[in-house]
Amino acid sequence: MASAADIAKSLAGAIGANDEEVTVSQFLPSGFPPLDHASNSSWDLGAFPVGRMIEIAGPPSSGKTALATAGMAGAQKMGGIAGFMDHERSFSLRLAPRLGLDTTPGRFIFKTPKTFEESLQICVVAANHVRKNKLIAKDAPICWVFDSLAAMVPQSAYYEMKAGKVVGVKSLEDRNMNDNTALARATSNAFPAFAQHCEDLGICAIFLNQMRTDLNVKFGDPRKTTGGNAPEFYFSQRLWLSASQIKKGTDIIGMEVTGKYKKNKIARPFQEASWRFEFQEDGTGKFNRFRSLIEFLEGLDLIKKGKQTGTVEWDGKTYPKATLSNTLEAEGDKGFAKLTALLPANYEPPVVAEIDAEIDEDAAIAA
């Protein structure tokens, strides 16, 4: 009988040696350490994995696009480029720079494709061209956002086809039940190959998605997303957002957003983070990472609560949380670094800590 080493040597001559394990070595920053930690158990690696397809889904006005824009801006800061497919026809090139995105052509690619297939093809062709011609560094990331999967129309549902050729645009009257399930078939057909392209070309593909309610679910979470079953398997991460209103008097000034990883093939699933998404006068939404991180640290008792509601202790003084947030934000990165310096080296998310405590309690009872 041959030894393992002899078998490996013989097989190497026939099919080559074993391939290396495929892992994620690069992440795009979200700008919010608790979300980064929920993604990959690290405060500073970033949140969005390069080389993978991910989903960000949530209700309207919950900051999905703002979160994806943070990823695009992060890719640019790392020497890469960003692309945005505006299927919902709602992206503002005028307002995006206020969220940190460089919309200069060449640094940013903006397209309004008509179909699902055209959208994926543009992404792959552009990324191939960039990599082949060495237009950016080899390890520089590409971030591509699709807004949204729910709004992507399959070619078979948009065009009238005869003998495999496009003969015109399909009228609304000609749509049928087959068109209603076309997107599910399109994702099932395209996503296996597209996932491979993302890995080969160093693309972080972020698919924004809309929520639907599954009326057949009587117990548990009735929410679901569009695109059929294929996305559940091919998205490496599925970040689902829920939101509640932030009010000042009777005015709704923002949303308190909680992001939970319903699926995570990078780290533990079901971890979550919460942050404030505040509406601005110019029509944009602000991901208030300063105020959000202050409240996160307050929850861990790393920033002490003040005696009055809504206040905290900082440098021996009592500040309203809004005032402290604005003061640190005025200091820019230096101010944010003062907050991140308080993050604990060892951190167990509450859900993990609770499970560990239950296991310890059960073990003690058994003993």
Side-chain angles (χ1 to χ4, degrees):
M1 296 291 290
S3 66
D6 290 336
I7 295 173
K9 183 177 180 181
S10 179
L11 284 173
I15 61 173
N18 284 357
D19 294 338
E20 293 184 5
E21 178 186 3
V22 178
T23 59
V24 177
S25 60
Q26 195 176 38
F27 294 84
L28 305 180
S30 70
F32 188 51
L35 180 57
D36 296 347
H37 195 282
S39 169
N40 54 58
S41 301
S42 171
W43 297 118
D44 52 14
L45 282 180
F48 311 125
V50 176
R52 300 292 178 91
M53 298 163 55
I54 69 171
E55 175 188 60
I56 301 176
S61 301
S62 59
K64 299 185 294 294
T65 304
L67 202 55
T69 301
M72 291 192 291
Q76 292 176 336
K77 290 176 182 177
M78 296 166 70
I81 61 174
F84 192 93
M85 295 304 196
D86 190 11
H87 290 272
E88 293 193 0
R89 309 300 195 256
S90 61
F91 190 78
S92 174
L93 291 171
R94 178 179 61 86
L95 299 178
R98 302 184 190 183
L99 299 176
L101 185 68
D102 182 354
T103 57
T104 304
R107 296 281 287 155
F108 180 65
I109 301 166
F110 178 76
K111 292 288 186 180
T112 55
K114 288 183 170 60
T115 68
F116 170 86
E117 291 84 355
E118 180 188 359
S119 191
L120 299 190
Q121 181 67 7
I122 290 174
C123 173
V124 172
V125 170
N128 258 315
H129 182 84
V130 168
R131 296 300 187 193
K132 182 179 179 180
N133 292 280
K134 300 179 180 179
L135 301 180
I136 58 176
K138 183 178 180 180
D139 60 348
I142 297 173
C143 179
W144 214 286
V145 178
F146 300 84
D147 185 21
S148 63
L149 182 57
M152 298 173 85
V153 182
Q155 179 174 294
S156 64
Y158 185 78
Y159 291 114
E160 186 70 38
M161 309 287 291
K162 287 187 178 180
K165 295 183 179 180
V166 175
V167 295
V169 176
K170 183 178 291 188
S171 70
L172 294 178
E173 295 176 349
D174 292 333
R175 288 181 61 88
N176 52 48
M177 290 297 294
N178 209 37
D179 294 322
N180 293 340
T181 57
L183 183 58
R185 293 193 301 276
T187 58
S188 183
N189 179 56
F191 274 2
F194 187 67
Q196 187 66 55
H197 286 305
C198 289
E199 180 191 333
D200 294 341
L201 298 170
I203 303 169
C204 175
I206 302 176
F207 286 82
L208 307 185
N209 211 348
Q210 300 173 7
M211 290 289 191
R212 301 287 188 266
T213 299
D214 188 343
L215 299 178
N216 294 318
V217 175
K218 303 302 180 184
F219 302 98
D221 190 348
R223 295 179 300 167
K224 65 177 182 178
T225 53
T226 61
N229 294 328
E232 297 180 17
F233 295 95
Y234 290 101
F235 289 144
S236 293
Q237 293 181 328
R238 304 183 73 200
L239 178 61
W240 283 19
L241 310 182
S242 57
S244 58
Q245 297 174 348
I246 301 173
K247 290 186 176 182
K248 187 175 183 180
T250 58
D251 293 334
I252 300 172
I253 62 171
M255 306 289 275
E256 184 75 25
V257 181
T258 297
K260 185 173 185 177
Y261 280 96
K262 300 289 286 187
K263 175 186 177 182
N264 193 345
K265 296 185 74 173
I266 311 298
R268 294 169 178 165
F270 307 114
Q271 296 191 63
E272 60 184 48
S274 297
W275 59 88
R276 292 171 66 94
F277 182 69
E278 300 172 354
F279 305 140
Q280 305 298 297
E281 293 294 334
D282 61 10
T284 60
K286 177 183 178 182
F287 185 1
N288 193 336
R289 59 186 190 138
F290 284 86
R291 175 71 178 269
S292 301
L293 189 51
I294 288 170
E295 294 183 347
F296 176 78
L297 293 168
E298 180 190 16
L300 296 179
D301 205 29
L302 297 173
I303 291 180
K304 299 297 182 182
K305 295 179 182 292
K307 293 182 180 179
Q308 294 182 330
T309 302
T311 64
V312 291
E313 302 293 330
W314 183 265
D315 284 343
K317 298 180 180 180
T318 301
Y319 293 88
K321 284 186 280 190
T323 301
L324 179 59
S325 174
N326 293 336
T327 300
L328 293 174
E329 187 173 4
E331 298 179 17
D333 291 342
K334 183 179 178 181
F336 198 68
K338 292 179 181 179
L339 293 173
T340 57
L342 299 177
L343 291 168
N346 298 311
Y347 172 67
E348 285 287 359
V351 64
V352 177
E354 290 170 7
I355 292 173
D356 288 344
E358 290 175 4
I359 292 174
D360 292 342
E361 183 179 344
D362 291 343
I365 293 173

